[in-house]
Amino acid sequence: MNKNIKVAHNLFVLFAFGLFLTSCVGGQTGRNNSGQYKNGMVVSAHPEASKVGLDILKKGGNAIDAAVAVQFALAVVYPDAGNIGGGGFLAYRSAKGEISTLDFREKAPGNASRDMYLDAAGNAITEKSIYGHLAAGVPGSVDGMVKAHAKYGKLSWAEVVQPALNLAQNGFSITESQAQEFAAMQKSIKKYNPGKSYFIKDKWTKGELWVQKDLAKTLQLIRDNGRDGFYAGEVADLIVAEMKKGGGLISKEDLKNYQAQWRDPLVGNYKDFKIITMPPPSSGGIALLQLLNSVEAYPLKRYGFNSDSTIQLLVEAERRVYADRATHLGDPDFYKVPQKQLIDPKYSVERMANFNWNKATLSSDIKAGEIIAESEETTHFSIVDRQGNAVAVTTTLNGGYGSMVFVNGAGFLLNNEMDDFSVKPGTPNMFGLLGGEANAIQPGKRMLSSMTPTILEKNGDLFMVVGTPGGSTIITSVFQTILNVIEFDMGMQSAVNAKRFHHQWLPEEVVVEKGGVDSLARLKLENKGYKFRERKAIGRVDAILKTKWGYFEGGADPRGDDTKLGW
Ligand code: GLY
């Protein structure tokens, strides 16, 4: 062998040996050298919840089993948004390509009424829709989990509830950010829970064990009795007693009647990708498809990530889409949402026709399209299993710690989801969002949401599972994360880490994460009339990408304690 051939030969042997080693590692643990996993993955807002999900997958549970277990685990370890007293949405795609979406959004109680948050002069008393007993809608999470498990689960119900029960019974170590946050929350918790001792303590220390006996009892009832463990019997009695004490509206009848609902998923396309996402009563799916339709024709790759042109284009799309959201979207069981027209790509192209590269459009010049005929503590988790079944769940109490009201004796917080209704036309909700007739309060109606659990396919195969908390910013964060991967060639973790910005029609401003726009791009846009406001973190995206080699690559948001685990 001459010298060159010998070097080439040695390199080849080294390469082949490397491949062999990689496949050995892959064979034993499913992990490759890039930290991607073959057998499944869980990305959630809390390390303990991700661990619960992973254990379920390893035990032979599928993605739905893991999702149910993670939902209950988050209710224990992440009380700011994890919940049994709230609601959410689930998007599912089986390995064979079956798709479905589950709506377990809260509902207005039977005694709710359109003007329930107005004073005698007709002014909105927004504190009442945000804090305290009257802010709570009828919770949907437990029935949602029961329905998801009944349709797709493989392990027994008891097996998927038990890990959360263990965490409540035996305790778990709180993280550093939780220690700080729990201490900071005490004033509000005390205000809305007079006479209770639960969760009330001024000093919290990182690593301390937090045991929740009342919650453990509630979870035990749910484990043993399914939906009746929550919507009937002892827990229902405790919820109604709590309501009576604080002037809330949820009745036994409301609890008995609550039903989560399977809905036809919303499906659209962006270039080679199929987008499977949540229909109303979330506005998220429609708005996401509208945003993607609005920008598809533009060369975003050439503009570059967060360049002035990219920001301008996305902001103008967002301005128009959020104007539509305020007018046209509400619970489809009560209001005829013009879904077909809104997600028609031609509609978004027309809406962008008056966009001018030379100056910012004024939001006052934008109305909803004509149709023929800081506390944002939601949470999201993404899961894939060994077979390739995928689940995206976004779930919430609405604001951080919801209404702040603990159900005495049952150990869980109630949501403040009623604030997601349009309390009065023209009065913004806690996220600054406006609404009208479509989202007015009616008994039994679901309040409009922005939650956007989404699954992407490429060439008929799973591509991405994605979602985030963030109130009104949910939709734009999901939108930008998808573009980061598809247009700006980022891996999943980089796409999640990347700085975000947000525009929602009104107020007339672009909010941007600190350092998210370089000073030259910002100056160019300010000269065109865009107003910027910097703020801290926007969203906490937890997502999974399937690589072309068939491995799962996680993106756990570094803005929180979010954790990705695979095997
Ligand atoms: N509670 C926030 C949302 O549903 O959009």
Side-chain angles (χ1 to χ4, degrees):
M1 262 189 247
N2 76 26
K3 204 174 157 208
N4 283 347
I5 294 180
K6 203 166 168 193
V7 169
H9 174 262
N10 288 345
L11 278 175
F12 176 75
V13 170
L14 215 60
F15 177 68
F17 186 61
L19 272 185
F20 171 71
L21 274 184
T22 306
S23 67
C24 286
V25 171
Q28 282 167 12
T29 67
R31 184 182 192 276
N32 69 14
N33 290 343
S34 311
Q36 300 163 339
Y37 293 87
K38 190 82 187 167
N39 293 327
M41 187 160 229
V42 181
V43 192
S44 87
H46 197 282
E48 292 288 353
S50 293
K51 190 168 168 308
V52 162
L54 186 70
D55 288 345
I56 291 283
L57 293 181
K58 285 184 170 175
K59 201 174 166 185
N62 62 23
I64 289 284
D65 292 319
V68 174
V70 170
Q71 170 81 30
F72 284 119
L74 284 168
V76 180
V77 300
Y78 192 66
D80 28 0
N83 68 83
I84 52 176
F89 298 104
L90 176 152
Y92 173 72
R93 180 187 182 278
S94 79
K96 291 193 178 117
E98 178 192 347
I99 57 172
S100 46
T101 43
L102 179 64
D103 163 6
F104 55 100
R105 181 73 161 165
E106 301 92 324
K107 284 181 163 197
N111 284 327
S113 56
R114 190 187 175 96
D115 297 337
M116 63 188 274
Y117 300 111
L118 304 187
D119 64 16
N123 301 313
I125 324 166
T126 42
E127 198 194 330
K128 287 200 166 193
S129 66
I130 298 180
Y131 298 113
H133 298 68
L134 203 58
V138 186
S141 292
V142 174
D143 192 57
M145 293 307 103
V146 168
K147 288 207 165 59
H149 178 262
K151 188 161 178 187
Y152 295 115
K154 206 165 112 192
L155 300 183
S156 70
W157 175 249
E159 278 174 296
V160 294
V161 181
Q162 188 65 41
L165 173 48
N166 294 343
L167 284 165
Q169 191 114 55
N170 307 328
F172 71 97
S173 299
I174 63 168
T175 67
E176 184 165 3
S177 58
Q178 284 185 306
Q180 287 166 8
E181 206 181 288
F182 289 177
M185 290 307 302
Q186 291 304 306
K187 205 168 152 213
S188 306
I189 297 287
K190 282 177 193 161
K191 178 170 174 191
Y192 292 101
N193 296 279
K196 296 178 205 163
S197 57
Y198 190 73
F199 197 57
I200 292 180
K201 168 164 103 82
D202 288 329
K203 195 161 163 13
W204 294 80
T205 318
K206 177 193 169 191
E208 80 172 75
L209 201 67
W210 188 28
V211 174
Q212 301 172 76
K213 291 282 182 219
D214 286 348
L215 182 54
K217 205 171 63 187
T218 299
L219 287 166
Q220 194 173 337
L221 288 166
I222 294 170
R223 180 197 65 187
D224 296 342
N225 304 304
R227 72 158 268 141
D228 281 353
F230 184 87
Y231 295 94
E234 197 180 326
V235 175
D237 288 345
L238 289 170
I239 294 173
V240 173
E242 185 64 56
M243 287 289 113
K244 289 223 166 81
K245 202 162 52 179
L249 297 181
I250 301 171
S251 67
K252 285 260 179 73
E253 205 59 14
D254 291 327
L255 292 167
K256 193 173 94 193
N257 290 341
Y258 182 87
Q259 293 292 334
Q261 214 163 312
W262 292 100
R263 298 197 184 267
D264 290 338
L266 204 61
V267 178
N269 293 294
Y270 180 78
K271 299 190 172 170
D272 295 339
F273 301 87
K274 182 163 143 186
I275 321 288
I276 301 143
T277 187
M278 201 65 218
S282 182
S283 63
I286 288 187
L288 175 65
L289 294 185
Q290 285 186 272
L291 288 169
L292 291 167
N293 290 339
S294 302
V295 304
E296 186 169 7
Y298 295 82
L300 278 167
K301 220 185 262 294
R302 179 155 67 70
Y303 299 159
F305 169 73
N306 280 10
S307 67
D308 56 319
S309 299
T310 295
I311 293 172
Q312 189 177 2
L313 177 69
L314 269 53
V315 160
E316 291 302 342
E318 290 168 7
R319 187 196 307 278
R320 286 157 177 77
V321 167
Y322 276 80
D324 276 346
R325 182 195 188 280
T327 301
H328 295 309
L329 296 183
D331 182 349
D333 295 342
F334 286 75
Y335 182 85
K336 194 164 167 18
V337 176
Q339 179 170 307
K340 200 158 154 253
Q341 293 96 320
L342 289 171
I343 64 170
D344 183 340
K346 286 202 285 279
Y347 172 79
S348 294
V349 171
E350 276 164 26
R351 294 278 285 154
M352 291 297 280
N354 62 353
F355 151 50
N356 178 351
W357 280 110
N358 296 322
K359 67 175 183 14
T361 309
L362 291 175
S363 284
S364 52
D365 289 342
I366 295 285
K367 301 278 174 280
E370 288 293 321
I371 297 294
I372 305 147
E374 183 126 14
S375 175
E376 301 166 343
E377 294 292 342
T378 295
T379 188
H380 173 86
F381 53 93
S382 295
I383 298 178
V384 284
D385 65 21
R386 187 177 199 151
Q387 283 71 37
N389 303 303
V391 182
V393 175
T394 314
T395 180
T396 192
L397 290 164
N398 195 18
Y401 306 88
S403 62
M404 306 279 171
V405 175
F406 277 98
V407 177
N408 206 24
F412 65 89
L413 279 160
L414 285 168
N415 66 83
N416 60 339
E417 218 70 67
M418 291 297 283
D419 189 63
D420 269 348
F421 278 117
S422 174
V423 166
K424 183 185 175 186
T427 301
N429 74 358
M430 65 186 284
F431 304 116
L433 290 167
L434 296 170
E437 192 51 41
N439 191 32
I441 304 171
Q442 285 176 258
K445 185 176 176 181
R446 288 174 157 104
M447 53 299 282
L448 186 62
S449 171
S450 298
M451 292 190 277
T452 317
T454 297
I455 298 174
L456 272 70
E457 270 181 24
K458 186 179 182 183
N459 302 327
D461 195 9
L462 177 66
F463 181 69
M464 192 193 293
V465 190
V466 61
T468 183
S472 57
T473 68
I474 289 175
I475 302 161
T476 47
S477 293
V478 170
F479 173 50
Q480 287 165 37
T481 305
I482 291 173
L483 293 181
N484 288 345
V485 173
I486 295 180
E487 296 291 357
F488 305 124
D489 300 322
M490 293 184 199
M492 196 71 261
Q493 188 61 61
S494 311
V496 167
N497 296 351
K499 298 282 187 190
R500 306 183 187 116
F501 57 90
H502 171 75
H503 194 291
Q504 60 179 46
W505 178 46
L506 292 170
E508 177 85 75
E509 62 178 11
V510 185
V511 285
V512 59
E513 288 185 312
K514 261 197 169 47
V517 188
D518 73 54
S519 42
L520 184 61
R522 180 168 171 163
L523 193 66
K524 281 189 195 169
L525 290 167
E526 280 170 343
N527 285 338
K528 292 178 181 180
Y530 293 91
K531 294 188 192 76
F532 284 84
R533 177 169 66 84
E534 280 195 345
R535 56 164 270 187
K536 55 182 178 39
I538 298 179
R540 280 167 69 170
V541 177
D542 284 339
I544 300 171
L545 191 67
K546 186 172 179 189
T547 68
K548 58 180 161 211
W549 311 112
Y551 279 83
F552 300 117
E553 182 185 317
D557 206 313
R559 294 161 181 83
D561 292 327
D562 302 45
T563 305
K564 56 182 176 182
L565 294 176
W567 71 302

